[in-house]
Amino acid sequence: MGQGPRRLTGPQDELVPGCRQRPRQLLWALAAVCFLGFAPASAQSPGAVPDITVRLVSGRSATLSELWASRPLLLALFYTRCVGVCSPYLLSLAETVAAQGGAGTAYDLLALSFDPADDAAAVAAYAARFGLDGRAGWNFATANAEDITALAAAIGFWFKPDTARGQFDHPALTVAIRDGRVVRALEGIPVNARAFRETLWELRGNFVPTYAMPGQNTLLSCFEYDAVTGKARPNWGLLLLVMPALVALAACVVIFAFAPRRPDSAPR
Amino acid sequence: MQRLDRNTLYWMGVTLVVFPILVLLGLLMRAVQAEAATGLQALFYPAMTLHGLGMAGLWFVASLAAANRVLMRYIEPSAAVNRVALLGTLVGVVLLIAATLIGGFAPGWYFLYPLPLHGTWPTWSTIAFLVALAVLGVAWLLWSLDLLRAIAKKYTLRHALAWHYIGGASEPVVPPAIVISTVSLIVCVACLVAAVLVLLGFLGDFVLGAPADALLMKNLTFFFGHVLVNLSLYLAVAVVYDVLPEYAGRPWKTNKIVAISWNCVLVIVLFAYAHHLYMDFVQPVSLHYIGQIASYSSAIPAAVVTIFGALLLVYHSRMRWNLTSLFMYLGLIGWAIGGVGAVIDSTIAVNFKLHNTLWVPAHFHTYMLLGLVPMVLGYFYHACQEAAPQQESAGLHRLLFWLFALGSAGFLLMFYFSGADSVPRRFALYPELIESGSSLALIGLISASVALLGFLIYLWETGRRWVKALAG
């Protein structure tokens, strides 16, 4: 089960939007662009979330768009019969939410069962069993099978029936949605507090400059992103960036200071 | 008759043999893109890796060898260190050829971390590449340090960097070649230290399993690569400062403006590389601004002052136009045109659109093929003609010059048109969406073949003098 956040990027199939014209015209356009700059391109990004209808444990039906209309939404998928990751995942999410705050004011949460066999009563009982009912910003709900399938496909959530055990194979996935689009997805437990803070920062519409490492325990990064302040702090790796210039300067000083000088040497 | 030392002759020989081979690899790439090389598509990325690395490395050593010879008029560099650098370069080239053409090592000529460690090529080819990088880095670092040592033997740092001119003095006289070479060699040491750090990053991951930071590695890689290419041009310019006056019949001396501009270059060139990282959204925006400002600023002191000086040198002079002076002048023009392309590319708003198009290869091919290459080739001819004089054929020289210049210009224009038409770079084959890429590649291929024909005539002209000089 993976651990890190997954960032959704822009479209890869559009090369340079608005630039496919004749070369001569483009050369003129380029000259203008040198002074004026390009206008931002309007690109249709992926990550649109289908506006399905869910049945809340209160008995009310609501569309997702109604839920994300006032505040961004964190969507968590589970099912009540799960004997695996669901309860530790929801508890970890609840713990992180409680630690970071903002539920019900900066964002809402929707814990949605993806098991068609679950009904409102079962989900309500599940929430109560783990003390998650009545918490500010939290909603528990079910949906019909077709809508769940469409939603899962759109947000990249997979689940596979394990008929021998009557269970589902599935990841622990939290999907952050703003204005009907997936901003970021957090996978795995325990819910990564740092990634969660970054997600909240992004849900507020801020840019989060972090990047995936090629492996764990990466040596000497250039910048450390602080998700609380939203700023990048210089890190030890930056020292390596100035080292070439410092070494060259030192070598130059040593060479010119200690080379035996013969000002009159003029070969040829 | 001016005797040519063996080392310079060997560097010339290596350059004149390896260059057309690397050109053929470039033609192969354009042929694949033009769909005119069926069955050779698999060679595209190994060819791109070798072509790019090879050209950048070859013209750096060719430029340094030319500068080395020019500097021998004023200082005494070590012939032994020069020979070690030559041997190291040959070993590095052989390893690179083996890694790419036999091993299929193909992460592109930027070899951005961690791609070289995660390709489909065999492990030995990655090792061969890393060893080649180490050997070349050590050999070139030794050579650079020795040249600095030789300069330091005759000049103080203050004089070598012409600071006394900035202070208003004009004595002692320091030739521009010394000033520009000192600046370039200090920067060269910095860029080779960056290469060592990149190598250590690769080794840490490859041997110890400790991954390096990708952003740090990219910064260091472009610091190394961008600065190396820049100083290759600067060293060639140092040669032009020294040789072109012989054809103009006028001196081209160091003065306050020349001193200030090249001292500015020493600082600015260290920051200009940041324009390669505009696409890296995790890099703080302030560094992007530094990259743009440094890129704009670096063009003014080096290129504008030099080109303005060259125009004044030639204006109303009794210029003797032959292969050397024509090529050197062409080199300065190409440098100016490629420099404008580079400044446009370093503009953040433009780069945002053009970064991954063929506009980028267009501008760096301009200042390489029409800038650095003719400057160095012009000097090689000059040195060979000086060492083994033969009757010059003005008609033949004009023919080869125009074949080379027009063929190169046609080749480059197809890159520029492709970039303007959104044709992406690093694509071996173009999908239907960008069908113009193939037809422009075909015209580029034909144009480059014309330029190659011009070079082959140059090879005949210079080669027979080179052979005579070698025999003498």
Side-chain angles (χ1 to χ4, degrees), chain A residues 7 13 15-17 19-23 26-27 30 33-34 37-41 207-211 213-223 232 237-238 240-241 243-245 247-248 251-252 255-256 259-268, chain B residues 2-3 69 72-76 113-114 145 148-149 151-157 160 182 186 189-190 193-194 197 210-216 219-220 223 270 273 281-284 287 344 347 349-350 353-354 357 359 417 420-422 424 433-434:
Chain A
R7 182 189 291 276
D13 54 347
L15 300 168
V16 181
C19 271
R20 293 199 53 75
Q21 302 163 33
R22 294 223 169 270
L26 277 159
L27 285 177
L30 273 173
V33 153
C34 299
F38 277 92
F207 174 64
V208 176
T210 61
Y211 52 102
M213 305 290 187
Q216 300 294 323
N217 302 320
T218 301
L219 293 174
L220 297 171
S221 61
C222 294
F223 300 99
L238 270 186
L240 288 186
L241 269 187
M243 187 187 279
V247 171
C252 179
I255 288 171
F256 277 88
R261 188 153 295 115
R262 285 198 306 148
D264 58 338
S265 64
R268 295 207 296 169
Chain B
Q2 186 71 58
R3 196 173 160 75
R69 169 122 200 296
M72 286 165 69
R73 294 169 67 166
Y74 313 107
I75 58 169
E76 282 181 283
Y113 175 85
L145 289 172
L148 274 176
R149 176 205 57 78
I151 292 171
K153 205 167 171 182
K154 183 168 178 189
Y155 300 94
T156 63
L157 183 60
T182 305
I186 294 170
V189 173
V193 171
L197 294 174
D213 181 74
L215 185 64
L216 174 63
N219 270 285
L220 288 169
F223 182 93
L270 298 174
Y273 84 91
F281 63 91
V282 292
Q283 185 100 316
L287 290 184
I344 291 172
T347 306
V350 177
K353 291 290 178 188
L354 294 180
T357 72
W359 176 274
F417 284 145
D421 204 23
S422 306
L433 180 67
I434 33 179

Side-chain angles (χ1 to χ4, degrees), chain A residues 60-168:
Chain A
R60 180 170 75 91
S61 287
T63 59
L64 289 182
S65 61
E66 289 169 348
L67 296 178
W68 71 53
S70 53
R71 283 186 284 272
L73 191 64
L74 288 178
L75 175 65
L77 289 145
F78 76 106
Y79 68 105
T80 60
R81 295 180 296 109
C82 182
V83 295
V85 74
C86 292
S87 56
Y89 159 58
L90 284 178
L91 288 170
S92 170
L93 179 62
E95 189 180 322
T96 308
V97 166
Q100 302 301 327
T105 54
Y107 58 92
D108 287 327
L109 293 108
L110 175 65
L112 179 65
S113 168
F114 61 87
D115 183 357
D118 273 337
D119 57 18
V123 169
Y126 187 86
R129 194 189 327 158
F130 293 104
L132 299 174
D133 56 331
R135 290 202 181 193
W138 281 80
N139 292 297
F140 280 79
T142 60
N144 69 44
E146 293 76 25
D147 283 349
I148 288 292
T149 304
L151 178 68
I155 64 175
F157 178 79
W158 60 270
F159 57 103
K160 198 165 62 175
D162 180 352
T163 49
R165 296 189 301 138
Q167 293 281 301
F168 288 100

Side-chain angles (χ1 to χ4, degrees), chain B residues 190-204:
Chain B
C191 96
L192 292 173
V193 171
V196 170
L197 294 174
V198 169
L199 187 64
L200 290 174
F202 273 111
L203 289 178

